[in-house]
C-alpha cells in the first residue's frame, strides 16, 4: 500500500508538470515517466523479494530509461533512496521472514518470540507513521531531489 501510494504521488507530480508545460507552450508534449515511477513500477521486487533469494548481477547492463549501464546494486541504491523509510520497511519484512524461518514447526518458541517481534515492529512503524510517512486519507510527502 505504501509503495502504491508513493507511486501515485510521483505520478500526480509528473502529471502536474505535464499540465504546466501544456499551459505554458499550448500543446501536448510527451513527458517520459520519471525515474521514481520507473523504479517503483519495474524494481519494486527489490523490496518485496526476500533478501536471501535476490540474485545480484555484478555485470552492469544498459538501461534504456536511465541511458547508462547499471547493475542490481545500483537499482537497489536508487530504489532505497526514493523515500527514507523504504529501507526501514524492508528491514521489518526481513525480520519477519527470519522469524518465520527460525520458528517454523516450533509454535512454543514462536509464541515466546512473537511479542518481541511485534514490539520492535510497532516501535518502528509508530516512529515512521508519526514522522509523516503515511496517514490514512493524507498525502505522502515527497522528497525533492536537488
Amino acid at each position: 500500500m505504501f509503495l502504491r501510494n508513493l507511486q501515485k504521488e510521483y505520478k500526480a507530480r509528473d502529471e502536474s508538470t505535464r499540465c504546466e508545460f501544456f499551459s505554458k507552450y499550448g500543446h501536448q508534449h510527451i513527458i517520459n515517466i520519471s525515474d521514481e515511477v520507473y523504479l517503483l513500477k519495474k524494481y519494486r521486487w527489490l523490496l518485496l523479494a526476500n533478501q536471501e533469494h535476490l540474485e545480484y548481477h555484478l555485470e552492469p547492463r544498459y538501461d534504456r530509461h536511465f541511458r547508462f549501464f547499471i547493475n542490481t546494486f545500483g537499482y537497489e541504491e536508487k530504489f532505497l533512496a526514493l523515500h527514507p523509510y523504504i529501507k526501514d520497511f524492508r528491514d521489518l519484512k526481513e525480520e519477519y521472514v527470519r522469524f518465520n524461518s527460525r520458528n517454523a514447526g516450533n509454535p512454543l518458541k514462536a509464541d515466546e518470540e512473537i511479542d518481541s517481534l511485534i514490539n520492535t515492529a510497532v516501535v518502528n512503524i509508530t516512529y515512521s507513521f508519526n514522522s509523516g510517512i503515511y496517514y490514512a486519507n493524507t498525502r505522502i510527502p515527497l522528497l525533492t531531489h536537488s
Side-chain angles (χ1 to χ4, degrees):
M1 180 130 186
F2 171 74
L3 292 179
R4 194 173 327 142
N5 288 337
L6 189 60
Q7 184 176 340
K8 284 179 185 179
E9 288 296 317
Y10 281 122
K11 279 184 173 182
R13 182 202 60 191
D14 294 350
E15 181 63 19
S16 172
T17 302
R18 189 190 65 73
C19 290
E20 287 173 17
F21 189 87
F22 177 73
S23 64
K24 185 175 181 181
Y25 297 107
H27 59 81
Q28 293 287 357
H29 182 72
I30 296 173
I31 297 177
N32 294 332
I33 64 171
S34 65
D35 293 350
E36 297 88 358
V37 173
Y38 176 74
L39 288 166
L40 286 164
K41 277 185 165 185
K42 297 281 228 169
Y43 294 98
R44 71 176 46 212
W45 58 267
L46 288 169
L47 177 72
L48 300 176
N50 294 345
Q51 289 295 106
E52 61 192 35
H53 297 122
L54 280 181
E55 277 190 46
Y56 286 95
H57 299 282
L58 297 176
E59 184 77 23
R61 298 175 185 172
Y62 185 75
D63 187 292
R64 289 176 37 200
H65 175 82
F66 290 119
R67 296 186 185 109
F68 57 80
F69 287 88
I70 187 168
N71 62 17
T72 311
F73 292 106
Y75 286 121
E76 184 177 43
E77 182 181 330
K78 285 181 165 297
F79 188 84
L80 294 176
L82 290 176
H83 200 281
Y85 297 111
I86 289 177
K87 185 174 182 335
D88 293 339
F89 288 140
R90 185 187 66 178
D91 293 344
L92 283 172
K93 178 197 66 93
E94 289 301 317
E95 182 59 37
Y96 179 70
V97 168
R98 286 189 297 274
F99 167 80
N100 282 335
S101 297
R102 279 191 314 266
N103 298 306
N106 192 347
L108 295 176
K109 187 175 178 193
D111 192 40
E112 293 171 4
E113 283 189 41
I114 191 73
D115 290 333
S116 172
L117 179 67
I118 290 172
N119 289 336
T120 302
V122 167
V123 167
N124 288 338
I125 291 171
T126 302
Y127 170 75
S128 297
F129 284 1
N130 288 337
S131 298
I133 282 190
Y134 176 80
Y135 292 97
N137 304 322
T138 61
R139 297 171 64 105
I140 298 170
L142 296 177
L143 300 178
T144 54
H145 300 292
S146 313

